[in-house]
Amino acid sequence: MTHRIAQFLEDRRPATPCLVFDLDVVEENYNDISRAMPDALIYYAVKANPAPEILERLARLGSRFDTASVAEIRMALAAGARPEHISFGNTIKKQVDIATAYALGVRLYAFDSEAELNKLAAVAPGSQVFCRILTSGVGADWPLSRKFGCDVAMAELLLKAAPGKGLTPIGVSFHVGSQQRDPEQWDIALAEAAGLFRRLEVDGIHLSLVNLGGGFPTKYRRDVPTTAAYGVAIREALARHFGNRLPETIIEPGRGMVGNAGIIQTEVVLISRKSANDNRRWVFLDIGKFGGLAETMDEAIQYPITSDRQGPTEAVILAGPTCDSADVLYEKADYQLPLSLEIGDKLAIKATGAYTTTYSAVAFNGFQPLEAYYI
Ligand SMILES: *Cc1c(COP(=O)(O)O)cnc(C)c1O
């Protein structure tokens, strides 16, 4: 917890649950990422946390933006981004939305299928397009495989067809999976990208851009490699596969840019046992899967959760407050909380700056969307 967040919670004593987010941490992350990958252009993945305060801070720092919808494009523009610095990176877009993005000045688009390429040709003529290729998602706690991307053979055919449709094929993209804990996972995708570059060159199509996607992790319960280690591994893989004909690169950090900048404060609503000899307490919080903690699905993302109380701890099952049995946060993962924990205590759910506020339901069971303070 940063000093500024601790001070805010102390002074303001906000109603819980709430996210308190330190914008200075985003600035540190941005600078860290720029230092680790000085040659890459940074496109912040807006979906990780689209708060205007974050987008404005990043726009001022010179960040560009990866967007997935017209609404996200408008948010980036409102934060001060120029349309030339916005990528429409979703491979699943309505044609009418592509037309709107084009009218707003966006000229960089992702695709992974012929039908999507045809939509782009119809309403975004002359734009630069990149093809997303499939990755396995190995090593990632929140894989994005299968749904996005096509195989390299299809990517080759589609990129080859782009000029005939009035589009400029500029390169390829991939995403190695979110919360990717292995910096070496960029290697395979880069090998494939380099092969594609060479084969298309033979056909007179010169690709110049590799979009390295997101995947940079946040430290949750487990340690993760440093940002610098990702920079080294990716630069080495680029050199290995592209030699001295290095492409331009884009990175799209979402989680890695904002995850560690926020903390959710929650209150213990109930502590109970299911039978007299139950050896695990159930601890029910005022936030759960529907209040913003959707990434606890399958216990994939394991946030550090802390109490101010001292003394011996005991295993707990953590659950949310709604009347849905899916609203259990952690049952298999070994979470421990002090035996002295009491109803009404506040807990800190750490590293919750990414993929929380916008995952919160509007009013399931009457619970209001997650309140957030950007300081
Ligand atoms: C979600 C997403 C990102 C961000 O991924 P993180 O793992 O949060 O860094 C980047 N690029 C695209 C295309 C995405 O969909």
Side-chain angles (χ1 to χ4, degrees):
M1 171 146 13
T2 70
H3 176 70
R4 297 177 70 224
I5 293 178
Q7 196 67 52
F8 179 90
L9 288 170
E10 177 74 26
D11 294 347
R12 294 276 297 269
R13 304 199 168 274
T16 64
C18 67
L19 171 74
V20 187
F21 188 103
D22 187 341
L23 293 162
D24 287 351
V25 176
V26 172
E27 184 157 342
E28 284 165 27
N29 290 340
Y30 181 86
N31 291 332
D32 239 25
I33 294 169
S34 312
R35 267 194 301 273
M37 271 165 275
D39 299 324
L41 292 170
I42 299 176
Y43 281 68
Y44 170 59
V46 173
K47 77 169 185 287
N49 189 328
E53 295 89 342
I54 297 173
L55 303 186
E56 281 159 23
R57 178 70 70 104
L58 285 170
R60 244 187 295 136
L61 291 167
S63 182
R64 304 179 178 209
F65 297 92
D66 169 53
T67 61
S69 64
V70 168
E72 285 189 356
I73 291 170
R74 291 193 194 282
M75 289 186 235
L77 291 171
R82 303 219 306 266
E84 317 82 277
H85 293 169
I86 295 174
S87 161
F88 201 166
N90 192 345
T91 53
I92 306 154
K93 304 176 282 300
K94 288 185 181 173
Q95 186 162 308
V96 64
D97 290 341
I98 300 170
T100 305
Y102 190 77
L104 290 169
V106 176
R107 293 291 181 273
L108 182 61
Y109 297 88
F111 71 94
D112 64 3
S113 67
E114 186 176 14
E116 192 73 10
L117 191 62
N118 289 337
K119 289 186 213 166
L120 291 167
V123 293
S127 291
Q128 295 183 318
V129 294
F130 56 86
C131 187
R132 181 156 169 179
I133 55 176
L134 278 167
T135 63
S136 70
V138 169
D141 286 340
W142 195 261
L144 303 166
S145 52
R146 300 291 321 141
K147 181 167 172 183
F148 307 104
C150 60
D151 73 11
V152 222
M154 182 175 278
E156 186 176 340
L157 285 176
L158 295 176
L159 286 163
K160 223 184 271 184
K165 296 175 190 285
L167 295 165
T168 305
I170 184 167
V172 298
S173 73
F174 55 83
H175 194 304
V176 293
S178 200
Q179 187 66 8
Q180 175 54 261
R181 286 183 287 107
D182 178 10
E184 299 304 327
Q185 289 299 321
W186 275 261
D187 183 78
I188 299 168
L190 281 171
E192 290 187 338
L196 209 92
F197 271 51
R198 280 192 295 273
R199 288 195 297 281
L200 284 170
E201 194 78 51
V202 175
D203 291 307
I205 294 179
H206 177 70
L207 299 181
S208 58
L209 178 77
V210 175
N211 179 339
L212 301 158
F216 308 96
T218 288
K219 183 187 178 306
Y220 296 114
R221 290 214 296 178
R222 292 209 225 175
D223 261 332
V224 290
T226 60
T227 309
Y230 285 82
V232 169
I234 291 171
R235 275 203 307 277
E236 284 177 358
L238 277 164
R240 193 150 51 236
H241 302 297
F242 286 89
N244 48 19
R245 302 183 63 189
L246 289 181
E248 290 168 45
T249 48
I250 279 180
I251 47 173
E252 302 175 329
R255 189 186 303 279
M257 188 74 88
V258 293
N260 65 341
I263 277 190
I264 287 174
Q265 190 174 61
T266 177
E267 184 180 311
V268 176
V269 179
L270 179 69
I271 305 172
S272 67
R273 293 183 198 262
K274 299 292 178 193
S275 66
N277 55 0
D278 195 354
N279 59 4
R280 274 211 288 179
R281 291 167 296 165
W282 282 75
V283 174
F284 296 92
L285 308 177
D286 62 2
I287 186 170
K289 275 208 167 66
F290 303 99
L293 303 179
E295 287 199 319
T296 58
M297 208 183 291
D298 297 329
E299 312 193 16
I301 298 296
Q302 299 185 2
Y303 303 107
I305 300 181
T306 59
S307 154
D308 285 341
R309 289 196 187 266
Q310 310 294 321
T313 62
E314 193 192 51
V316 293
I317 295 169
L318 286 157
T322 65
C323 298
D324 188 317
S325 58
D327 193 10
V328 174
L329 303 176
Y330 301 115
E331 192 168 2
K332 296 188 212 77
D334 177 33
Y335 275 81
Q336 302 252 338
L337 283 170
L339 273 166
S340 54
L341 190 75
E342 285 184 17
I343 290 170
D345 279 7
K346 300 281 198 286
L347 298 178
I349 309 179
K350 295 182 171 166
T352 38
Y355 302 118
T356 51
T357 53
T358 46
Y359 271 164
S360 120
V362 171
F364 177 48
N365 254 189
F367 291 100
Q368 288 310 297
L370 181 59
E371 193 66 62
Y373 303 92
Y374 295 89
I375 61 173

